[in-house]
Amino acid sequence: MNYIYINDEFVDESEGKISYSDRGYNFGDGIYEYIRIYEGKVFTSKEHYERLFRSAKEIGLNLDAYSVEGLTEVTKELAAKNNVVNGGVYIQVTRGVAPRNHPFPDASTKPVFSAFSKSYDRPYDELENGVKTITVEDIRWLRCDIKSLNLLGNVLAKEKATQNDAAEAIMHRGETVTEGSSSNVYAIKGGKIYTHPANNLILNGITRRVIKELADDLNIPFIEESFTLDFLNDADEVIISSTSIEVMPVVQVNDQKIGDGKVGQITKQLQNAFNNYIESKS
């Protein structure tokens, strides 16, 4: 039996059903998070759920019935029920089930909360050897800081990357690099890490926050300011990061190698520090 969680209950996945009138289905009217499991323990769940509540507040979604601590326990229990040792838990909250109409439903409509888990290993080969990326225009809406279900722009970018045998699509608005289709982006130049500021144009990734903390510990300048495609191409090293891919080296952007086409020293320092961070938190 594989368990999922729907509206305060653990049920077999074959019994998990969501209404066709769910606003997440009809409008993408909802939010989500994804939490990593390492060796059977949840990783940075507090930070993820605090961000979930922030996203909810930004879209006027009432989650007063939930708490960070309670949702963390749900995550732990779901992972344990499904024997997830290494993997992740996906959590989604929609505005609820109501007749299809653009305005919010009345206050009696309860959010629909669901979660599922999956097992998988860390991407060791890619972390050691690096990945290829492409660049695409960022066509998404202007509230990318909200982790909403409206991901069509991200999906189209990722599909283009897949069609070009790339691991990720690095997005840009005009000449300014924003983030990846499912990751944050960093250019390392002259011993300094540059990444787009955490404003409305990017998601302030939890792994991004960890990298910032690790860079501070390593005395590596972490500069939150926008940079251009030319700066990206001329970087000594490039990194993308997310909950799933951790601190991932980029060795090629489009047809151009980054640096010497190998994983750089600062990237390796951050990866080692991240491994230690996982061990200290798991």
Side-chain angles (χ1 to χ4, degrees), residues 24-274:
Y25 178 75
N26 287 324
F27 296 110
D29 188 2
I31 53 177
Y32 75 102
E33 283 291 337
Y34 186 72
I35 297 175
R36 202 70 156 83
I37 308 294
Y38 291 113
E39 300 303 325
K41 297 182 180 179
V42 298
F43 181 66
T44 59
S45 61
K46 179 176 181 289
E47 293 84 349
H48 278 280
Y49 281 124
E50 286 177 346
R51 187 173 64 181
L52 183 82
F53 281 95
R54 178 192 179 276
S55 292
K57 182 179 179 181
E58 291 297 312
I59 67 168
L61 178 57
N62 186 343
L63 294 186
D64 289 347
Y66 299 96
S67 69
V68 170
E69 295 76 18
L71 292 178
T72 297
E73 290 305 311
V74 167
T75 305
K76 291 178 180 178
E77 187 171 353
L78 183 60
K81 281 181 174 291
N82 290 324
N83 299 311
V84 176
V85 178
N86 289 291
V89 173
Y90 175 88
I91 305 96
Q92 175 173 296
V93 189
T94 74
R95 204 175 301 276
V97 177
R100 190 183 187 283
N101 194 15
H102 283 69
F104 292 177
D106 63 49
S108 66
T109 302
K110 295 181 179 180
V112 172
F113 188 103
S114 61
F116 65 85
S117 63
K118 62 179 181 179
S119 295
Y120 61 92
D121 210 344
R122 298 174 66 186
Y124 291 112
D125 289 345
E126 292 85 355
L127 289 170
E128 182 177 356
N129 300 307
V131 298
K132 171 189 173 182
T133 64
I134 63 168
T135 56
V136 300
E137 185 70 29
D138 191 343
I139 61 171
R140 302 170 301 160
W141 72 324
L142 296 177
R143 290 305 307 274
C144 299
D145 56 306
I146 299 171
K147 201 166 175 68
S148 81
L149 303 182
N150 296 277
L151 295 173
L152 187 55
N154 306 66
V155 167
L156 293 174
K158 184 72 82 172
E159 175 60 18
K160 187 171 182 180
T162 300
Q163 291 174 358
N164 285 275
D165 297 319
E168 178 61 302
I170 294 176
M171 296 185 285
H172 56 93
R173 293 183 186 267
E175 289 299 308
T176 300
V177 174
T178 50
E179 60 183 343
S181 68
S182 60
S183 65
N184 290 120
V185 179
Y186 316 77
I188 300 172
K189 186 77 171 174
K192 300 176 182 179
I193 302 170
Y194 295 84
T195 192
H196 196 285
N199 57 19
N200 63 297
L201 296 181
I202 73 162
L203 182 72
N204 189 7
I206 303 304
T207 305
R208 179 187 185 277
R209 301 180 201 181
V210 173
I211 290 173
K212 180 179 180 179
E213 180 181 335
L214 298 177
D216 289 343
D217 292 342
L218 294 167
N219 293 316
I220 301 171
F222 189 91
I223 301 171
E224 297 181 83
E225 64 181 38
S226 59
F227 57 85
T228 66
L229 287 169
D230 285 343
F231 189 89
L232 178 75
N233 291 327
D234 290 338
D236 302 322
E237 304 173 44
V238 172
I239 299 170
I240 53 177
S241 74
S242 74
T243 296
S244 298
I245 64 174
E246 303 176 4
V247 184
M248 183 61 68
V250 173
V251 295
Q252 183 177 336
V253 176
N254 297 318
D255 295 325
Q256 180 172 327
K257 287 184 179 180
I258 298 299
D260 61 3
K262 298 179 181 178
V263 180
Q265 291 305 309
I266 289 180
T267 301
K268 290 179 180 179
Q269 283 183 273
L270 291 171
Q271 288 179 326
N272 289 334
F274 190 80

